[in-house]
Amino acid sequence: KRDGAELRLTRKEYELLELLARNAGRIVTRTTLMDTLWQDEDRNENTISFHVASLRKKVDSPAECG
């Protein structure tokens, strides 16, 4: 939830948020993200950038809730 409203996240956004939350205060490298979240999928750097930007937009902007 963000400001009391439920965030609608894709599965990948949720997995990304969970990984980052579990590693709060630590640096999570792109290599770690690829190896953990995109093991058998497209391992394109742009994919990571897209999902990180999408998650940031939803988490940082109350207008994106719901």
Side-chain angles (χ1 to χ4, degrees):
K1 291 190 174 192
R2 169 96 162 89
D3 294 334
E6 185 174 310
L7 287 176
R8 300 191 92 155
L9 303 177
T10 66
R11 179 178 59 88
K12 213 40 108 173
E13 289 168 343
Y14 181 85
E15 291 172 352
L16 176 59
L17 180 60
E18 181 179 34
L19 177 66
L20 295 173
R22 289 180 186 270
N23 288 282
R26 292 179 275 200
I27 295 171
V28 180
T29 66
R30 286 180 170 270
T31 301
T32 299
L33 293 175
M34 276 194 223
D35 291 347
T36 305
L37 302 179
W38 283 274
Q39 299 165 356
D40 299 323
E41 301 172 47
D42 181 18
R43 296 172 61 92
N44 185 322
E45 290 276 332
N46 292 330
T47 300
I48 293 172
S49 296
F50 170 81
H51 285 285
V52 169
S54 178
L55 180 60
R56 280 183 177 157
K57 183 177 177 184
K58 289 179 180 181
V59 170
D60 290 343
S61 176
E64 289 297 321
C65 295

